[in-house]
Amino acid sequence: MSTILLTGFEPFGGDSRNPSAEAVNRVAATYDGPHELVTATLPVSFAGSAAELGRLIDAHRPDAVVATGLAGGSARIAVERIGVNLMDARIADNDGHQPTDEACEPGGPAARFATLPVKRIVQALSDACIPAHASLTAGSFVCNHVLYTALAAAERAAAGTVPVGFVHVPWSTPTAPEGAPHLSESDIARGIRIVLDQVFETEQRAVGGTVW
């Protein structure tokens, strides 16, 4: 049996809830798939998230890692393709740390590419009538830091053979500020479950990219 590590984030920026962690908990409560599912809520902290993620990977030796976080203002689930070696925070993290133009990993590569089947996941989400797209930037806050460091940790733990990626979710209906784009809690959870069902697939199935 394969093990999948699935994470969300605690609230940040003055919010009392984070739909990524709530969706992860909802998926965990109903998961009936063929794999062992390990779930966790990460701190919105550059140092703390990397340390906790590394601890979880060392403890569970997962066969796949799917991290999720909030992209407030988005109307679609975003499956990230690239983590960049950059910490550049518009606001402080929950530890009060606000790095500017710092490296996630001094001396590390400029970017690491997600090893999930991104295009296949986006196609599966779209087939299920869940708005989704492949994203070329996870930003420069803690979400990007987690993607970049998760890929590095997985490389060290399993010689680069572990599918690793990051999924940004919109606000859920009850957590969205007035007028903000959102998806229902059930659709966000359903989307994450679809991601889990696709992590070990290798055929991408879809044309992608941009024309500019």
Side-chain angles (χ1 to χ4, degrees):
M1 179 183 293
S2 297
T3 299
I4 301 175
L5 173 61
L6 175 65
T7 69
F9 274 113
E10 68 183 2
F12 68 101
D15 296 323
S16 61
R17 299 168 63 180
N18 189 317
S20 68
E22 293 182 358
V24 165
N25 291 336
R26 187 167 180 152
V27 170
T30 59
Y31 184 73
D32 58 356
H35 311 295
E36 179 183 357
L37 187 62
V38 176
T39 62
T41 298
L42 299 178
V44 179
S45 158
F46 286 97
S49 63
E52 178 63 8
L53 193 63
R55 185 193 69 78
L56 289 164
I57 290 173
D58 288 343
H60 298 284
R61 298 288 172 174
D63 300 287
V65 179
V66 178
T68 71
L70 170 65
S74 174
R76 300 181 289 173
I77 289 177
V79 186
E80 302 297 344
R81 299 189 74 173
I82 305 168
V84 297
N85 194 6
L86 175 67
M87 298 184 292
D88 193 25
R90 180 178 58 82
I91 62 173
D93 68 12
N94 284 358
D95 289 339
H97 183 46
Q98 190 174 1
T100 301
D101 297 333
E102 296 181 22
C104 300
E105 180 186 318
R112 290 188 168 102
F113 284 83
T115 49
L116 293 182
V118 172
K119 291 181 182 178
R120 185 182 182 98
I121 289 169
V122 170
Q123 186 64 56
L125 291 167
S126 298
D127 289 347
C129 298
I130 296 175
H133 71 117
S135 169
L136 295 177
T137 174
S140 56
F141 197 50
V142 180
C143 290
N144 172 76
H145 186 64
V146 161
L147 174 56
Y148 187 89
T149 55
L151 286 161
E155 288 172 6
R156 290 192 297 268
T161 60
V162 176
V164 176
F166 195 97
V167 177
H168 266 121
V169 302
W171 291 110
S172 61
T173 303
T175 61
E178 185 176 357
H182 58 272
L183 290 177
S184 70
E185 291 178 297
S186 60
D187 275 351
I188 294 174
R190 187 163 60 95
I192 292 174
R193 173 57 195 267
I194 289 170
V195 173
L196 299 183
D197 290 341
Q198 298 293 323
V199 292
F200 297 115
E201 301 295 335
T202 57
E203 181 187 356
Q204 290 285 13
R205 294 179 55 208
V207 173
T210 65
V211 293
W212 62 85

